[in-house]
Amino acid sequence: MIRILVVLLIPCVICQEQNKNRFSLDQGELEGHFEGNKKLENIMEEVYLWKQIGYDGIQSLRFDAITFPSNDSKMSLDFVPYNNVPMGVDHFEGRLFITMPRRRTGIPSTLNYIDMNLNSRNRSPLLKPFPDIMATSLPTDLRADPNKIISVYRTRTDECKRLWFVDTGLLEYPDNAMQIQPPSIWIMNPKNGNVIRRFEFPANIEQRGNGVASITVDVNPRNCNEAFAYIPDLFFNRIYVYSFKDNRMWSFYHNYFRMDPFEGDLNIAGHQFQWDDGIFSITLGPRRRDTFRDVYFHPMISTNEFVVSSEVLQNEENSNRQWHGSDFHLLGNRGPGTQSAMHQFDLTTGVLFFSEIGRNAIGCMNSDRPINKENHAIVAQDNDRMIYPSDLKVDVDGTLWVFTNTMPRFIYSQLNTSEYNFRIWKANSRDIIRGTICSN
């Protein structure tokens, strides 16, 4: 009996040692394959940077908790500057939309913008609530209100010049999370803030906003009514599909939406931890002759890239199938340490860009080549100034925009408010891949 116990215990000890070594192995992979000895300043422009976030009209001489009285009983303007950690960036005609999901108390506005024309010299501009503070502030009674935007992670402007986002409806306060109202899709005019449509998630789809952190819009600009939104749910491992024309939503499930348990160990900014985020990012390839396109997706905690045709997703009947055959398939593995939050297919170059959270880097792959470690490159990386690239987009002009927000340090230790913690970067998508394997 003793001999049997010894045999059983040995593998457990080995597993523990392997788990301990995973962090050091991942750390060794962190630098990746950064082609050339280029300085970051020669690769990406640091557009804006903040030590802490401030808002236009909500100012303080000291960075602690402040409550601003309001004449409107439906509006709360509690402001704790330290708790304001921005997440998303989206460029539209000289405006940058900046999101502030409510993961802590004291966030006065969850959706904001910067007018770049008015802030060409100010490197740390104040944010302006969008469309206004009445819409983006919390109701004081914390009751459901369809005119209120509760919490937004990331936005997306489409080819028809509309601003889309998901309001999670959720306050993610530690030990006191509150689902104020069901998650909803908002579609707005990005110039004046007029609401084009608000669609609340149906009860048979999902009523909790735990995992809806991004949205991707598939539209032909010649027919703006024929639009679909694809929304990944990293918590419930789903893709929600919304038809603008039919004003309906349906849901897909597949095992490929789940996290990879062998890729959950992360080492970022000196903090070692495990995450389990499932499907996180969706991006679209070029439109084919049949009008459909490839839909690329991946879980955050994975190094694999998957694809499905938009033809499959846009057919509601397919969502009821018990088995999807080979409609969803694996494209390949990007290589060790390439866990990615957001990614974007750049139609001007045919290159996929990745925000690589474990490497504090931007990675790339050319879609004309197989998805594998050998065809992957890092185009920008900095372990001090690019900690946690939380969002990444390529605009209609071929400009790559990246937001870095030092979030693991905020979660697991403490931000240094005398240093710059949040940054917006940009680069020309053709220039940034020049000389790498991603270039044609």
Side-chain angles (χ1 to χ4, degrees), residues 99-101 110-111 149-155 165-168:
T99 56
M100 199 77 61
T110 185
L111 179 60
I149 305 170
I150 303 300
S151 185
V152 180
Y153 271 84
R154 294 169 181 87
T155 64
F165 58 88
V166 174
D167 173 12
T168 69

Side-chain angles (χ1 to χ4, degrees), residues 158-428:
D158 71 7
E159 295 167 277
C160 294
K161 299 186 176 183
R162 298 174 296 196
L163 181 71
W164 298 62
F165 58 88
V166 174
D167 173 12
T168 69
L170 176 67
L171 301 180
E172 297 177 76
Y173 300 160
D175 302 321
N176 190 29
M178 290 177 280
Q179 189 73 49
I180 303 300
Q181 54 201 32
S184 56
I185 297 173
W186 287 66
I187 309 167
M188 305 179 77
N189 184 322
K191 295 182 179 179
N192 57 28
N194 289 341
V195 178
I196 298 170
R197 183 178 295 178
R198 179 185 183 271
F199 176 85
E200 199 165 275
F201 281 33
N204 67 324
I205 297 294
E206 188 51 62
Q207 293 291 282
R208 293 164 292 179
N210 305 53
V212 283
S214 67
I215 186 170
T216 298
V217 183
D218 187 356
V219 63
N220 188 331
R222 291 176 293 183
N223 188 353
C224 295
N225 200 43
E226 295 280 353
F228 292 86
Y230 310 128
I231 303 166
D233 190 321
L234 63 94
F235 189 83
F236 295 107
N237 304 303
R238 298 288 190 274
I239 291 179
Y240 306 126
V241 180
Y242 170 72
S243 167
F244 182 84
K245 179 181 178 181
D246 298 328
N247 201 32
R248 287 182 56 81
M249 176 178 279
W250 51 93
S251 173
F252 281 86
Y253 170 79
H254 198 283
N255 278 340
Y256 291 168
F257 302 166
R258 291 184 173 274
M259 58 87 75
D260 182 345
F262 295 102
E263 300 296 345
D265 295 336
L266 296 170
N267 187 340
I268 304 174
H271 300 284
Q272 298 176 351
F273 52 91
Q274 286 187 339
W275 282 357
D276 60 1
D277 296 36
I279 182 169
F280 203 92
S281 179
I282 293 174
T283 190
L284 308 175
R287 201 171 297 280
R288 303 190 300 257
R289 289 184 180 180
D290 63 2
T291 74
F292 297 108
R293 56 210 303 188
D294 287 335
V295 179
Y296 299 84
F297 65 90
H298 62 246
M300 176 193 280
I301 301 305
S302 173
T303 56
N304 291 320
E305 192 67 29
F306 303 92
V307 71
V308 63
S309 171
S310 61
E311 183 178 12
V312 173
L313 297 181
Q314 292 176 13
N315 187 337
E316 183 177 359
E317 292 183 1
N318 291 337
S319 67
N320 298 318
R321 299 184 301 190
Q322 296 298 314
W323 185 62
H324 293 293
S326 59
D327 282 344
F328 295 80
H329 59 272
L330 173 68
L331 279 178
N333 187 284
R334 300 185 300 272
T338 58
Q339 295 95 332
S340 166
M342 301 304 295
H343 70 331
Q344 173 98 33
F345 191 111
D346 174 31
L347 297 176
T348 63
T349 61
V351 168
L352 284 155
F353 290 99
F354 299 86
S355 67
E356 299 189 1
I357 57 169
R359 287 174 163 173
N360 302 318
I362 306 304
C364 68
M365 282 192 161
N366 193 307
S367 61
D368 290 334
R369 297 189 174 97
I371 300 290
N372 56 40
K373 178 181 178 180
E374 290 69 28
N375 289 325
H376 173 278
I378 289 180
V379 294
Q381 183 177 40
D382 193 297
N383 289 325
D384 294 318
R385 292 178 294 168
M386 295 192 77
I387 296 175
Y388 198 81
S390 60
D391 200 8
L392 175 152
K393 293 184 179 75
V394 181
D395 66 19
V396 294
D397 300 318
T399 300
L400 173 68
W401 296 88
V402 176
F403 205 111
T404 57
N405 69 359
T406 327
M407 191 173 71
R409 187 171 289 164
F410 173 79
I411 295 174
Y412 297 110
S413 59
Q414 189 171 6
L415 296 178
N416 185 342
T417 58
S418 64
E419 297 178 350
Y420 289 104
N421 295 295
F422 317 122
R423 292 174 168 88
I424 295 176
W425 308 83
K426 74 172 184 177
N428 179 277

